[in-house]
Amino acid sequence: MIDQLKVILQDNFKNKDLGHLKYFLGIEVARSSEGIVLNQRKYALELVSKVGLSTAKPADTPLEQNLKLTSYEFDQKFPLDEKDELLTDPSMFRRMVGRLLYLTMTRPNISFAVQTLSQYMQSPKQSHLEAASRVIKYVKKEPALGLLMSAKSTKELVAFCDSDWASCAVSRKLVSGYCIKMGDSLLSWKSKKQNTIARSSAEAEYRSMAGTVAELIWLIGLLKELDVEAKISALLYCNNKAALQIAANLMFHERTKHIE
């Protein structure tokens, strides 16, 4: 099919076959007997250089532990003692977050930090800029980190999902995340703030499971279209016993009456 497509394209357009993919839109592709590695090393080093952090000390984590970022509007209603002024030029912060968003294509480990920072694009403060700089310092520590698409991967889909509960100080909404693997290869991942407010941790975890299952169903359909033999049944892991019991037996009780 690939050879037929190449012939059709060459008959209709002027093009050149450059062989195996090595570099495309900032993504580097390396092949070996172990599989295919995708990384954005060149893009990451350029990002560190552009923001002027080439001489900065690398950070061990993307965000500080227990860091609670708030919006400028929230600070106006509930003023704190610390001085945290608005940035005079917010364009620098917006460019940094935009570049980090593109980097998450091969760096799932910064997805949570980037989705947190992207909520403050409208009125960024000094604390937001410092947090974004820390993420870039973390990227600087190992710029060549990426994804391995293993050649020895099994055809079994495995998903992991988790959620916090009312962690956002401003909206009290939950952040849920998941990652889906085929064997040892990571296919899909997401870290996102949900649209609704969960009234219990069990409900928060259950909503996270529902979102993960929707992504699993879409992936299974895509694999069928590509003629990839994959097991229809997929394993879904969750660490909340109440949510697991609701998923196994959806009984009507207080915790489920508003998540039908």
Side-chain angles (χ1 to χ4, degrees), residues 49-136:
S49 177
K50 281 179 181 177
V51 298
L53 294 174
S54 299
T55 58
K57 183 181 178 181
D60 293 327
T61 56
L63 290 177
E64 290 181 24
Q65 191 175 13
N66 301 322
L67 176 67
K68 296 291 183 184
L69 295 173
T70 57
S71 65
Y72 179 72
E73 292 75 17
F74 181 82
D75 290 350
Q76 297 298 103
K77 293 179 182 177
F78 307 99
L80 300 173
D81 294 335
E82 303 104 23
K83 285 282 184 180
D84 194 4
E85 300 294 336
L86 276 175
L87 296 176
T88 53
D89 182 18
S91 60
M92 182 180 177
F93 173 79
R94 291 167 184 161
R95 284 196 297 271
M96 287 168 71
V97 175
R99 287 166 179 157
L100 285 170
L101 276 168
Y102 191 69
L103 194 58
T104 57
M105 293 206 311
T106 58
R107 297 288 294 259
N109 54 343
I110 63 171
S111 292
F112 174 77
V114 175
Q115 73 85 21
T116 302
L117 293 171
S118 62
Q119 298 172 33
Y120 307 104
M121 301 284 264
Q122 186 174 357
S123 304
K125 303 183 298 181
Q126 185 62 36
S127 59
H128 302 147
L129 183 64
E130 291 171 1
S133 299
R134 183 183 174 91
V135 178
I136 295 175

Side-chain angles (χ1 to χ4, degrees), residues 18-251:
L18 299 175
H20 285 305
L21 179 65
K22 294 180 180 177
Y23 186 83
F24 183 70
L25 295 177
I27 301 173
E28 299 173 41
V29 182
R31 298 168 185 268
S32 72
S33 58
E34 295 292 321
I36 300 173
V37 175
L38 306 175
N39 67 57
Q40 293 169 276
R41 180 180 174 277
K42 184 172 180 289
Y43 180 86
L45 291 173
E46 287 176 355
L47 171 59
V48 173
S49 177
K50 281 179 181 177
V51 298
L53 294 174
S54 299
T55 58
K57 183 181 178 181
D60 293 327
T61 56
L63 290 177
E64 290 181 24
Q65 191 175 13
N66 301 322
L67 176 67
K68 296 291 183 184
L69 295 173
T70 57
S71 65
Y72 179 72
E73 292 75 17
F74 181 82
D75 290 350
Q76 297 298 103
K77 293 179 182 177
F78 307 99
L80 300 173
D81 294 335
E82 303 104 23
K83 285 282 184 180
D84 194 4
E85 300 294 336
L86 276 175
L87 296 176
T88 53
D89 182 18
S91 60
M92 182 180 177
F93 173 79
R94 291 167 184 161
R95 284 196 297 271
M96 287 168 71
V97 175
R99 287 166 179 157
L100 285 170
L101 276 168
Y102 191 69
L103 194 58
T104 57
M105 293 206 311
T106 58
R107 297 288 294 259
N109 54 343
I110 63 171
S111 292
F112 174 77
V114 175
Q115 73 85 21
T116 302
L117 293 171
S118 62
Q119 298 172 33
Y120 307 104
M121 301 284 264
Q122 186 174 357
S123 304
K125 303 183 298 181
Q126 185 62 36
S127 59
H128 302 147
L129 183 64
E130 291 171 1
S133 299
R134 183 183 174 91
V135 178
I136 295 175
K137 290 175 186 175
Y138 174 73
V139 170
K140 183 192 174 190
K141 186 177 182 182
E142 291 186 87
L145 274 181
L147 299 175
L148 170 64
M149 300 300 171
S150 177
K152 301 172 185 176
S153 199
T154 62
K155 303 296 183 184
E156 187 177 27
L157 287 172
V158 181
F160 301 86
C161 67
D162 201 3
S163 179
D164 62 9
W165 182 36
S167 63
C168 179
V170 180
S171 65
R172 291 300 173 190
K173 291 179 180 177
L174 62 106
V175 175
S176 63
Y178 64 76
C179 66
I180 301 174
K181 302 173 77 175
M182 178 181 272
D184 296 328
S185 304
L186 185 63
L187 295 186
S188 179
W189 63 90
K190 180 176 279 189
S191 177
K192 183 182 179 183
K193 182 191 283 189
Q194 296 298 314
N195 298 324
T196 54
I197 298 174
R199 301 182 64 184
S200 69
S201 58
E203 182 187 340
E205 297 279 0
Y206 186 74
R207 288 185 186 277
S208 176
M209 291 174 72
T212 310
V213 168
E215 180 72 7
L216 272 170
I217 292 170
W218 181 85
L219 266 177
I220 290 169
L222 176 64
L223 291 171
K224 282 182 180 178
E225 281 190 36
L226 297 173
D227 289 331
V228 176
E229 293 181 6
K231 290 184 180 179
I232 300 296
S233 59
L235 290 170
L236 174 61
Y237 289 93
C238 174
N239 63 354
N240 187 286
K241 287 187 177 180
L244 289 170
Q245 290 170 358
I246 294 169
N249 183 20
L250 187 58
M251 294 177 64

